[in-house]
Amino acid sequence: MKEILSGNEAIARGAFEAGCLVASAYPGTPSTEILENVARYKEIDSSWAPNEKVALEVAIGACFGNARALACMKHVGVNVAADPLFTASYTGVKGGLVLVVADDPEMHSSQDEQDSRHYARFAKVPMLEPADSQECLEYTRLAFDLSEQFDTPVMLRSCTRISHGKSIVELGERVQGLPAPRLVKDAPKLVMLPGNARVRHPIVEERTIKLSAYGTTAAINRMELRSDKLGVICAGVTYQYVREALPEASVLKLGMVWPLPQELIREFSSKVATLLVIEELDPFIEDQIKAMGIACSGKELTTHCGELSPGRIRDACARAGIIAASTVPSVTIEPVPPRPPNMCPGCPHRGLFYELNRANAYVTGDIGCYTLGFMPPLNAMDTCVCMGASISNGSGLVRCLPPEEQQRVVAVIGDSTFLHTGINSLMEMAYNKAPATVVILDNRITAMTGRQENPSSGYTLDGESAPEVNIPELCKALGIKHVRTVDPYDLEATRQAVREEMARPEPSVIITYRACVLIKGAGRYEKGPILEVDQGKCTGCKACLRIGCPAIEWKPDPEGSKGKAFIDPLLCNGCTVCQQLCKFNAIGGKK
Amino acid sequence: MENTITNILLVGVGGQGILLASEILSEAFMLAGYDVKKSEIHGMSQRGGSVVSHVRFGKEVFSPVVPEGEGDILFGFELLETYRYLSLLKPGASVVVNDYKIAPPSVLLGQAAYPQALPEKIKSNFPDFLLVDGQGLALKAGDVRAANTVMLGAVSKRLQIEEAVWQQALEKMVPEKALEINLKAFAFGREL
C-alpha cells in the first residue's frame, strides 16, 4: 500500500515494521512527530521522557532485555544524551538499538545548527542518513538489523527537510519471530567497569573497520554513473538537491555517512575527472576524503552555514565555473514589514514579561515559547543558552555582581524545561545560596514543540492520566524557602510577586500558573470574555500596545489626530491583561 | 510522461491552515498518479510568523524544496505574505490569493503601515493574478472556515487534474461532517 508520509511518520512506520517494542523521546523540533506517530502503534510501548538522556537510557535498558528499542531527539538533545551514548557504544546491544537524531540546518527552530554526524564518529557508532520518506522507513528497518548484526547502537540522522518533508512511501509488514524479551545476564559486556571496558574498546575499533567494509558493498551506498567529467559525493536531502541542480553529474550517494566506505569512494573517484563533495553544514565527508589522499572540492564552493538548496548548489557551481550561470530574471519587490513569530493572543507568558521589563530585571532565559519574550515590545530577555541554563546562568551571574545588581537577576524557565534540566540547576542555586529569583512559567504543557504532555501535566503520551510532579513542593524539597504561585493573568499580583522576590537577598521561586491557550479540555485552558475597545473612551495612549498582543491593532486616525486601539474579536482570548493596563476603562467585555 | 515538474508554493501566516491545504494538494497529485514531494517548517515559525509550504509533482521529483525562481503557482493565504515571496516564482507564473490581510507586529504597534495596493503590484509582475473573496464565498457555502477550500478550488483550475480526483482527495482529507460545505466551497472557487 502507498501513502504520503512525512519523514517522521515514515521513521515511526519503519520502527513498527522492524518489530520495535519500546520507544522513548523528549520532544524537539524537527523530531517531535516521530514518537507521536510511534505511539499510534499499540504494539510499541512509547512514552515521553523528561529529557533526552533519560529517553536514551530507557531505550538502552529495553535493548538489554533483548527488545528492539528506539530513542528520538533533535540535534541538541544528543548533547544531553551523549553520556549514555558513548558507553552504549562499548556495551553494544542485545536487542537492536536505534537513536534517531533530527538536525536543523538553517535553525528554523533551534539555538544552533550543530552537525550530528560528528557524534557518530566521536561515539564510534554507525550513522545512516535517508534522503526521502521511503528511505526513512527502509533505513530505520535496516538500522535495527545492523544494530544486532554488528552489536552496536545505530544512529539515524534526519534533518528538517526530511522530517517535515512528505513523499510517497510503500508500506510493509511488521516482522515476526524476533526473540522474546527476557533478562539476560552478561556482566562482562553490560557492566562497564574499567576492566570490562578495556576488553570492549578494541572490539569497538574492530567493529568500525568491519562496518566500513560492509559499506563498500551495501546497497545503501550506491554509484550512479552518468558523466565521467563530474562526480559528486553526497547524502541525505542534499542528494535530492544535487540531482536537481546537476542532473548530468555522476553521483555516489551515501546511505551510511559513518563509517565511510573507503574502497567505494576510491573506486568512484577514479571514474570521474572532477570530484565534488556537497554536504550541508560541516565538511564531515570532505575532510575524510582529503585525509585519504583523494583530491576533491567541497567547502570552498558551499557554505558551512545554513541549508543548501538546488539554487544554492547551482549558484555555487556556476561561480566555480563547473556549470553555466543561470540567467532567469527574478522579480524584485519593495521592502515590506517583517513578520516574526509572536506569542499567541492570551498567552499566559505575556503579563509576566511585561512586569519583568517594568521591574528592570536582567532576565536569564531558556528554551521554549517564552524565548519570544525577547521580542519587542516586551524586550524582556537578556540571555538564552540551552535547556535548563536560565537558572544556573543566573546563579553564576549573581556571584560576580554588586548587591544592587544581584537583585535584578531573574531566571525564567518553562515547566517542561524545568523538569528537563532545570531541577539540577535549582538544586545548585539553593545549595550554594545564590540570591537570584527564578520564575517557573507553568503553562501545563510542552508548548513550543506542539503541545506534548510532560511529567507535571497530568497525562501521558497516550492521554492517560498520570501522577503530576508537584512543582512548588519540589522546589521546597530542593531547599528553596521562598516559593509562591501567582496567576499571570493578574498583573497586580504578578507585579507584587516579581518586585518582592527580586528584592529578597535569598534564592526564591515564583511559579506563574496558567494553562497554554492552545490546550483545550476540562481543567485546562478556558477562554475568557472577548474584549472590545470603547472608541469613545479610548484616548490613544497606547498603554495596551506595550504587551504586543496580536489581537490589538493601532489604527491611525485619518483626520490626523491621535489614533485608537482596536481588538480583533476573532483573535481575542479574553485574558484581560490589556484591560488591566487601560487607565481609562476603555476596554471591556464585548456587548 | 515527460518529467515536467509543477511547483506550487503556499504562503501565509502561521495558524492559517496552510499545512492542511498542502496535504490536500499532495493527496490529489498522488491519486492522479504523480510522484509528489512537499516541505514545510514546524515549530517556532508557526507562532504567527511568515510560513511557506512547498508542493511539487511530476513523474519523478527530487528536491522537496522548490528551487528559487521556479515556482509555477503561488497560492497566497494573505496579501502581504504573497507579495513577500514573489521572487520565488518564474516569469509568467500564476498567483491566486485570498483577499485577506493580517497586520504584522510593527503595523499592530503603529510603527509601520500595511503596504498599499498590493494586488496591483502583484498583477503588474504576474498578469495571471486572481484575487479571491475566500471568506465571502466560504460563508456563502455555509462556513467561513472553508475559505481555504474556496482557494483550493480556484488553484485547481490551473492544474491539469480531473475534477473527480479533487473530490476524492477532499473526501479523504476533510472530516465527514464538514465535507458537504467544503465540496460546495471548492466548487465556488473552481467557478472563478
Side-chain angles (χ1 to χ4, degrees):
Chain A
M1 192 173 73
K2 282 186 177 178
E3 277 191 39
I4 299 184
L5 298 182
S6 69
N8 283 347
E9 290 168 326
I11 291 167
R13 177 73 196 185
F16 165 76
E17 291 183 10
C20 177
L21 288 176
V22 175
S24 184
Y26 181 79
T29 311
S31 71
T32 311
E33 301 83 1
I34 301 170
L35 191 71
E36 290 180 322
N37 281 285
V38 169
R40 292 168 45 215
Y41 303 106
K42 295 306 160 201
E43 295 85 346
I44 305 175
D45 178 304
S46 345
S47 54
W48 293 124
N51 68 35
E52 294 85 353
K53 174 181 188 292
V54 175
L56 181 55
E57 288 160 350
V58 165
I60 292 170
C63 118
F64 286 168
N66 238 7
R68 288 190 161 189
L70 177 76
C72 319
M73 54 200 65
K74 69 183 293 176
H75 59 327
V76 285
V78 186
N79 300 334
V80 180
D83 205 359
L85 171 64
F86 280 64
T87 306
S89 172
Y90 278 32
T91 62
V93 304
K94 290 295 179 184
L97 175 65
V98 176
L99 165 57
V100 181
V101 51
D103 283 12
D104 188 18
E106 201 79 28
M107 294 172 277
H108 296 287
S109 203
S110 302
Q111 69 270 36
D112 70 35
E113 53 182 349
Q114 65 190 46
D115 186 332
S116 294
R117 295 177 297 176
H118 296 291
Y119 267 117
R121 186 182 191 182
F122 196 3
K124 303 173 192 283
V125 299
M127 177 179 266
L128 307 184
E129 191 169 354
D132 59 22
S133 296
Q134 181 69 48
E135 289 189 356
C136 282
L137 188 156
E138 288 168 8
Y139 286 18
T140 303
R141 286 187 69 144
L142 176 66
F144 280 103
D145 292 342
L146 292 178
S147 173
E148 289 167 6
Q149 186 185 341
F150 289 92
D151 191 11
T152 177
V154 175
M155 293 179 80
L156 183 94
R157 180 193 189 223
S158 178
C159 66
T160 299
R161 297 295 177 183
I162 294 295
S163 281
H164 291 165
K166 287 203 169 191
S167 57
I168 298 172
V169 178
E170 180 80 47
L171 306 186
E173 299 296 325
R174 183 168 165 94
V175 296
Q176 302 296 332
L178 293 172
R182 62 190 173 87
L183 285 174
V184 187
K185 272 200 170 277
D186 190 358
K189 179 167 149 64
L190 303 183
V191 180
M192 281 302 96
L193 283 166
N196 290 339
R198 281 186 206 112
V199 176
R200 295 295 304 170
H201 187 183
I203 297 171
V204 170
E205 298 301 332
E206 202 176 315
R207 182 176 75 199
T208 301
I209 296 166
K210 286 180 184 162
L211 279 159
S212 174
Y214 161 81
T216 288
T217 55
I220 55 170
N221 294 326
R222 69 166 187 263
M223 278 196 283
E224 299 174 3
L225 296 174
R226 295 180 195 91
S227 147
D228 56 4
K229 293 191 184 67
L230 179 63
V232 182
I233 299 179
C234 53
V237 74
T238 306
Y239 165 78
Q240 310 290 1
Y241 301 154
V242 167
R243 290 290 292 119
E244 187 108 15
L246 306 167
E248 310 300 326
S250 292
V251 170
L252 172 58
K253 179 190 179 297
L254 298 176
M256 184 161 75
V257 292
W258 176 261
L260 292 182
Q262 297 207 357
E263 291 314 309
L264 187 63
I265 289 170
R266 283 190 200 285
E267 188 188 342
F268 182 71
S269 70
S270 73
K271 291 178 189 293
V272 292
T274 302
L275 183 63
L276 301 183
V277 181
I278 301 185
E279 52 193 325
E280 273 177 345
L281 304 177
D282 296 338
F284 180 81
I285 298 170
E286 178 191 348
D287 284 354
Q288 293 178 66
I289 292 175
K290 284 182 171 160
M292 286 164 64
I294 297 171
C296 64
S297 301
K299 286 295 157 185
E300 59 266 49
L301 302 181
T302 61
T303 167
H304 290 70
C305 308
E307 291 183 313
L308 293 176
S309 69
R312 287 178 187 177
I313 291 172
R314 219 174 271 156
D315 291 347
C317 290
R319 275 196 305 274
I322 294 165
I323 56 169
S326 143
T327 51
V328 179
S330 75
V331 176
T332 46
I333 63 159
E334 296 162 22
V336 288
R339 194 186 300 273
N342 192 356
M343 288 182 232
C344 304
C347 175
H349 303 328
R350 190 170 272 111
L352 171 77
F353 283 108
Y354 175 76
E355 290 303 334
L356 288 173
N357 178 316
R358 294 223 322 174
N360 195 25
Y362 184 95
V363 179
T364 56
D366 224 301
I367 309 283
C369 289
Y370 49 93
T371 316
L372 295 169
F374 162 78
M375 304 290 286
L378 294 166
N379 301 315
M381 191 162 292
D382 297 285
T383 73
C384 173
V385 178
C386 66
M387 295 284 287
S390 56
I391 300 175
S392 14
N393 286 164
S395 179
L397 189 53
V398 292
R399 270 161 233 213
C400 67
L401 297 175
E404 67 279 8
E405 292 219 300
Q406 282 182 349
Q407 292 198 355
R408 291 179 55 202
V409 177
V410 178
V412 297
I413 186 165
D415 49 336
S416 186
T417 311
F418 176 64
L419 299 174
H420 178 278
T421 33
I423 299 171
N424 284 302
S425 302
L426 190 63
M427 192 188 301
E428 188 281 336
M429 204 181 107
Y431 176 50
N432 295 312
K433 304 187 202 103
T437 305
V438 173
V439 185
I440 300 172
L441 298 86
D442 186 358
N443 65 350
R444 319 296 304 128
I445 205 81
T446 310
M448 179 86 265
T449 46
R451 305 180 296 284
Q452 287 72 35
E453 304 294 348
N454 67 49
S456 75
S457 75
Y459 297 93
T460 65
L461 169 61
D462 292 327
E464 286 172 21
S465 69
E468 282 179 40
V469 173
N470 184 324
I471 292 178
E473 291 304 319
L474 173 59
C475 295
K476 287 179 199 162
L478 292 172
I480 303 290
K481 277 190 253 162
H482 310 285
V483 179
R484 62 202 279 182
T485 301
V486 295
D487 177 359
Y489 279 1
D490 183 341
L491 273 189
E492 182 56 41
T494 304
R495 182 176 311 141
Q496 204 179 338
V498 164
R499 301 210 170 190
E500 285 173 12
E501 299 311 326
M502 283 176 72
R504 198 189 292 280
E506 286 177 82
S508 61
V509 170
I510 301 167
I511 296 150
T512 58
Y513 189 90
R514 180 59 86 161
C516 169
V517 299
L518 297 176
I519 49 168
K520 312 282 193 290
R524 300 192 131 182
Y525 170 70
E526 285 163 43
K527 194 167 175 162
I530 295 172
L531 301 179
E532 67 178 349
V533 179
D534 182 333
Q535 298 298 314
K537 290 185 183 168
C538 179
T539 65
C541 75
K542 293 192 176 178
C544 58
L545 295 176
R546 288 189 215 131
I547 51 173
C549 176
I552 309 177
E553 181 172 7
W554 174 259
K555 291 189 179 165
D557 186 338
E559 309 282 296
S561 68
K562 266 181 159 182
K564 289 188 193 295
F566 289 80
I567 294 175
D568 184 336
L570 294 176
L571 293 177
C572 177
N573 274 319
C575 73
T576 77
V577 169
C578 61
Q579 192 177 18
Q580 295 168 54
L581 288 174
C582 182
K583 292 197 176 74
F584 304 96
N585 291 319
I587 300 176
K590 195 168 168 62
K591 290 168 198 89
Chain B
M1 71 189 137
E2 201 188 324
N3 196 22
T4 315
I5 305 294
T6 305
N7 297 312
I8 305 171
L9 294 148
L10 298 92
V11 302
V13 179
Q16 278 196 287
I18 296 168
L19 302 190
L20 179 62
S22 67
E23 305 266 301
I24 296 172
L25 281 176
S26 308
E27 192 66 36
F29 301 144
M30 184 178 80
L31 289 171
Y34 290 105
D35 188 21
V36 186
K37 281 199 177 147
K38 79 178 201 112
S39 180
E40 64 221 9
I41 301 297
H42 303 193
M44 188 168 262
S45 54
Q46 274 187 291
R47 297 277 172 277
S50 174
V51 173
V52 189
S53 177
H54 306 241
V55 180
R56 316 185 70 205
F57 73 94
K59 187 176 165 213
E60 187 181 14
V61 181
F62 292 111
S63 166
V65 180
V66 174
E68 299 85 340
E70 292 188 19
D72 296 290
I73 297 177
L74 185 62
F75 181 173
F77 291 66
E78 200 272 345
L79 273 165
L80 173 53
E81 295 313 309
T82 305
Y83 183 67
R84 190 190 307 282
Y85 292 106
L86 290 182
S87 65
L88 297 178
L89 299 180
K90 66 167 64 148
S94 307
V95 180
V96 178
V97 56
N98 194 1
D99 190 4
Y100 192 67
K101 293 178 186 172
I102 300 175
S106 57
V107 174
L108 291 176
L109 296 174
Q111 295 161 350
Y114 192 97
Q116 298 294 306
L118 290 176
E120 292 75 14
K121 286 177 187 166
I122 299 169
K123 192 165 185 172
S124 70
N125 285 299
F126 296 95
D128 183 20
F129 169 77
L130 181 64
L131 187 65
V132 181
D133 176 15
Q135 268 71 11
L137 288 169
L139 210 56
K140 205 174 124 194
D143 191 335
V144 71
R145 287 174 297 180
N148 291 350
T149 313
V150 173
M151 301 297 302
L152 266 176
V155 169
S156 76
K157 283 285 276 187
R158 285 158 175 77
L159 295 161
Q160 308 300 317
I161 306 276
E162 285 174 39
E163 194 156 355
V165 171
W166 290 111
Q167 176 150 348
Q168 218 180 324
L170 285 168
E171 279 166 3
K172 185 166 173 193
M173 306 300 291
V174 174
E176 207 182 326
K177 59 179 184 187
L179 185 62
E180 201 187 318
I181 289 174
N182 276 277
L183 286 173
K184 218 169 174 184
F186 185 85
F188 284 153
R190 209 170 155 85
E191 280 163 19
L192 294 172

